[in-house]
Amino acid sequence: MPDFDLVIRHGTIATASDVFAADIGIIGGQVAALGRDLGPGVKEIDATGRLVLPGGVDTHTHIEEPRGGPTVNADTFASGTASAAVGGTTTIIGFARQARGGSMAQGVAEHHERARTARIDYSFHMILTDPRPEVLTQELPKLVESGHRTFKIFLTYEGARISDAEALQVLATARRLGALTCIHAENHELIDFYTKALLAAGLDRPKHHAWAKPMIVERECVNRVCAMAEALDVPIQVFHVSGGEAAEEIERAQQRGVKVWGETCTQYLVFTADDLDRPGFEGAKWLCSPAPRSTADQAALWEMIRRGVIQNVTSDHAPTRYAGPDGKSAVGLDAPFTKIPNGVPGLAARLPVLFSEGVVKGRIDLPTFVSITATHAAKLFGLHPKKGTIAVGSDADLAIWDPAKKVTLTASLMQDANDHTPYEGMEITGWPETTLVRGVTVVDQGKVLAPPGFGQFLPRGPYEMIQPRGVFPGPFNPVDGVAV
Ligand code: DUC
Ligand code: ZN
Ligand code: ZN
């Protein structure tokens, strides 16, 4: 009589704190035992010579988001989550968006419909584009209660951005409801000023996108949102920190005790502004916001990861095909940078690129890799310990890696619905060969086995990590108006 549904034998397990040799016994989709010489399983996987890591938790993914323009998000939940699983990721958080003038509840309901084809587990951040009083006071309490515990706000992008006054109202609401706010922090007015100056001078190629939003644009805004978080005593996650100066603003706030967490993305660790200057229109493939920066910024980001200032590395997967009437070149190969949709695809590439560039090249150790790709994100977004670790009682969401496998990245390897990858031709070492979600093999040797709909929505309840500190810079609580 077998003891387990599945036993993964003889692997080397890594968590965010330890690396050890053990078998994993799985019952009912959860880890039931870790140990040597576990009893038999109905099924067994031999992981000799392999690393067994928690499946990746990618908390910044744009999938099947409607845009309302000529270009479209290339992925559906079926294709985006297939790609995620191919790259060893087992949980994603996507974005449900409020239409301007519309209802956040409707945006969430519509996104739940789209996500029915997900092949791995998922949750949503709620993009607030129009935080009117009734949205904040009537819709959000119910939405948070039903497990949508993160807000996303943009301080730039026409059509999505909100004012500082509105941002403060969103942050105050997050504090009252026990929600976390994620922020796209770039100074809109400065970008606008730079952009007008560039266009007036005829400087409108893809490379000028980086000129229109240099680091000062980001640094100033990161400083500002840290001040807002401190003033209201409310935790925030700063999305896609792209270089040293912005990370330093976060570090300073953290040193003052502010609950601000920094995220960067794979692309900022491997690409630079020079990639936007590839011949012809090719640079459009690397056009994202914030813009890729310099090799010095890459080194600074790795250092900030080692120091724990940046704790989460996501893909910011934002796929737009290159060719075709709905692609990056929809407006023509001479389109000004202002007409090119922002974003790069990267769901499948994230873990392998970070493993190769981080662990194999000796920039970070294996537990740090696990932490920045899975464990910290699961903790920060209220998914831990169900997700993001390997422990008795956790979901058996696992990636079994060949740490020595040499791979040349190509678009077809990614198995998303895009027609290119900015990582094309990159040579890496290490590949997640088998991915399991809740003990079920969803990808094996590049073959996607999970059907659309296998993924489950992950509602997120209240949790300690994002509780306010109860410390205000002034003599009273400006959110509730209660004397401290
Ligand atoms: N930047 C974002 O803020 N979102 C999606 C794509 C991008 O480049
Ligand atoms: Zn953003
Ligand atoms: Zn994004």
Side-chain angles (χ1 to χ4, degrees), residues 161 256 300 353:
R161 76 188 178 105
R256 291 194 299 277
V353 169

Side-chain angles (χ1 to χ4, degrees), residues 53-61 84 87-93 120-123 125 237 263 311-315 347 350-351 354 369-389 397 399 458 460:
L53 308 184
V57 178
D58 193 339
T59 51
H60 190 161
T61 68
T89 286
T90 50
T91 298
I92 56 156
I93 304 186
I120 64 171
D121 293 351
Y122 60 93
S123 197
H125 306 299
Q237 159 108 123
E263 173 217 72
Q311 308 92 348
N312 187 12
V313 186
T314 66
S315 66
L347 261 170
R350 181 181 74 115
L351 292 173
L354 293 173
F369 170 78
V370 172
S371 180
I372 63 170
T373 57
T375 315
H376 173 83
K379 286 182 177 170
L380 183 59
F381 292 100
L383 296 166
H384 189 268
K386 183 179 166 73
K387 304 294 188 187
T389 192
D397 289 5
L458 298 166
R460 293 175 284 135

Side-chain angles (χ1 to χ4, degrees), residues 60 152 154 184 240:
H60 190 161
K152 162 78 183 288
F154 290 92
H184 180 121
H240 41 50

Side-chain angles (χ1 to χ4, degrees), residues 62-65 73-77 79-80 317 319 347 416-418:
H62 301 273
I63 298 175
E64 214 172 328
E65 282 175 39
N73 185 300
D75 274 313
T76 60
F77 270 89
S79 65
H317 181 79
L347 261 170
D416 58 14
N418 224 326

Side-chain angles (χ1 to χ4, degrees), residues 28 121 129 173 223 227 388 392 418 442-443 451:
D121 293 351
T129 62
T173 303
N223 174 289
V392 172
N418 224 326
V442 294
V443 170

